Amino acid sequence: MNDKKSLELYIHIPFCERKCAYCDFLSMPATAAVQLQYVEKLIDELIGESGGVRDYEVSSIFIGGGTPSVLPGEYILGILQATADYFDVKKDAEITLEANPGTLDEHKLQCYREGGVNRISLGLQSADDWELHILGRIHTYDDFLRSYEQVRLAGFSNVNVDLMSALPGQTLESWEKTLKKVMMLRPEHISAYSLMIEEGTPFYVKYGEGKKAFPPLPDEDTEREMYHVTRTMMEAAGYRRYEISNYSRPGFECRHNLGYWTGVDYLGLGLGASSFVSGYRFKKEENLRAYLEQASSPDFPSCLYRDIHRLTDRERMEEFMFLGLRLTEGVSGAEFLRRFGQNMWNVYGPVMEDMEAKGLLKVEHPRVFLTERGMDLSNYVMSRFLLD
């Protein structure tokens, strides 16, 4: 009998060919020499961290970025082989790699398969070349189609496509065209997010704090229409929404993200990667030069830890609610009792009654979940579950 706890691994590759205009992720272009040095240090970190999680079994691995597919295929293979050597990885673990169109080739895909990757996530964002240009993406829709075909020919049967709505100059019609084109390809999973204007990005300089720019952002009503038409069209094509912004064909929900939303422990490896293990939340060094230099420290990899915080029971209950309510199946009162030894209705009864009366929450004992209107106003609803 295996009584090990589940652990998810997130492996951060911070490199990309060019920074997109809307991106606030920890990523940057880098020389081949820096990429190699980083991968070597990352594997050292991976080996060092493995000793502290011997009582865990890895249920999923997510290699994200940045753009992991800018690295030579052998680098990804080496990372995954080291992971398999030093961690207890389940035989049926979901192993995802993020890739951008135009950065893949047959050899890289063979390396991914050899390393155990069984899920590819392609960052398309839009099927309209003009919209892609505005975003600062390096690829065209035709580049995406070629990459998608390469992925399928390489034998990958679990593919996600990332899309983004509410883009500058985007209309409801152009968004519908993007959805139709992607759904015709029948990927197993589609993530459809709304553009967020983040501080520190070129888009914030242009569009932040109500600034007027050309092309303009869609108005609030159009953005809402995009959100609703996404659900309608996806469901008509056989995709089930299982989370606010994520849709899949039956059985292809992203197991890694489901683990995150339901409180499974996760260990982040690499520059700036976040972790939540045994009740502690922490992240890794965010400065690339400092990360590479500290890799030779005698207390490596613990010297990389930043912002270490032990979550209180109150914080854990809050996260259980506002992460779990992102899922269409919501949260379980039975699971709340198992984790915290308290009745969910004793802790959150007045809030849940108020949200139910306003038509934002539905209660079907023991589960509680957002209504369609609650999904529309999810940020407001989830804020109500912060305990005073």
Side-chain angles (χ1 to χ4, degrees), residues 10-289:
Y10 174 77
I11 301 174
H12 189 62
I13 307 298
F15 307 121
C16 53
E17 290 196 3
R18 186 179 70 196
K19 193 87 168 173
C20 295
Y22 60 88
C23 179
D24 73 330
F25 296 145
L26 185 54
S27 60
M28 73 288 290
T31 65
V34 170
Q35 291 179 1
L36 174 58
Q37 187 182 9
Y38 177 80
V39 170
E40 290 173 342
K41 302 304 181 186
L42 175 62
I43 291 175
D44 289 342
E45 179 195 345
L46 183 155
I47 295 170
E49 290 282 24
S50 65
V53 290
R54 295 295 185 204
D55 55 341
Y56 284 90
E57 184 179 48
V58 175
S59 56
S60 71
I61 302 170
F62 196 102
I63 305 176
T67 307
S69 54
V70 302
L71 293 181
E74 289 82 3
Y75 291 7
I76 298 294
L77 178 58
I79 292 167
L80 287 169
Q81 287 176 334
T83 304
D85 288 343
Y86 287 92
F87 288 85
D88 183 5
V89 181
K90 290 182 67 174
K91 288 185 179 179
D92 68 342
E94 176 191 83
I95 304 177
T96 302
L97 181 131
E98 287 186 330
N100 268 357
T103 63
L104 292 171
D105 57 44
E106 183 179 349
H107 176 69
K108 287 182 181 180
L109 290 163
Q110 287 175 346
C111 288
Y112 304 160
R113 289 291 302 272
E114 186 178 344
V117 174
N118 50 31
R119 185 174 183 271
I120 296 288
S121 180
L122 281 171
L124 170 59
Q125 314 312 344
S126 170
D128 184 294
D129 285 347
W130 183 76
E131 292 172 2
L132 290 173
H133 172 72
I134 294 297
L135 288 173
R137 302 293 285 178
I138 63 169
H139 64 267
T140 64
Y141 181 60
D142 282 344
D143 292 331
F144 163 77
L145 289 176
R146 283 190 288 271
S147 292
Y148 187 86
E149 182 180 23
Q150 287 176 318
V151 168
R152 289 305 199 192
L153 289 174
F156 288 95
S157 57
N158 191 355
V159 178
N160 170 63
V161 177
D162 277 342
L163 299 177
M164 192 176 288
S165 63
L167 307 181
Q170 190 177 52
T171 64
L172 182 61
E173 291 72 26
S174 69
W175 174 238
E176 289 176 339
K177 286 180 181 177
T178 285
L179 289 173
K180 288 176 183 176
K181 287 180 177 180
V182 172
M183 289 188 296
M184 284 177 62
L185 296 171
R186 301 299 294 160
E188 285 68 32
H189 190 284
I190 299 174
S191 297
Y193 299 100
S194 181
L195 173 68
M196 300 292 289
I197 306 297
E198 303 287 358
E199 286 194 54
T201 66
F203 263 22
Y204 186 80
V205 174
K206 194 171 185 179
Y207 294 103
E209 299 178 344
K211 295 175 182 174
K212 293 184 178 180
F214 181 82
L217 294 168
D219 60 35
E220 190 174 331
D221 288 342
T222 302
E223 185 176 349
R224 282 291 95 198
E225 282 189 79
M226 289 176 176
Y227 177 78
H228 289 297
V229 81
T230 302
R231 177 176 58 83
T232 302
M233 291 177 64
M234 292 278 199
E235 289 178 354
Y239 290 90
R240 183 182 78 90
R241 179 169 67 172
Y242 67 96
E243 190 269 344
I244 290 175
S245 302
N246 285 274
Y247 300 77
S248 76
R249 288 160 56 186
F252 288 97
E253 297 84 0
C254 177
R255 286 157 51 191
H256 185 86
N257 285 344
L258 280 173
Y260 172 70
W261 292 316
T262 55
V264 175
D265 282 9
Y266 57 92
L267 176 63
L269 302 166
L271 190 71
S274 296
S275 300
F276 175 65
V277 180
S278 299
Y280 284 89
R281 190 175 302 287
F282 56 95
K283 65 181 181 181
K284 300 293 177 62
E285 169 64 55
E286 293 185 340
N287 181 278
L288 179 59
R289 178 176 293 180

Side-chain angles (χ1 to χ4, degrees), residues 321 325 343-365 367-369 371 373 380-381 384-385:
M321 298 303 291
L325 284 172
N343 186 304
M344 189 166 75
W345 277 265
N346 289 344
V347 178
Y348 284 113
V351 173
M352 292 192 293
E353 289 174 8
D354 181 46
M355 292 295 97
E356 187 177 23
K358 291 176 177 175
L360 303 176
L361 207 63
K362 188 166 185 179
V363 178
E364 291 183 357
H365 291 283
R367 303 206 72 84
V368 178
F369 51 91
T371 62
R373 185 161 177 264
Y380 164 70
V381 178
R384 294 293 309 278
F385 288 90

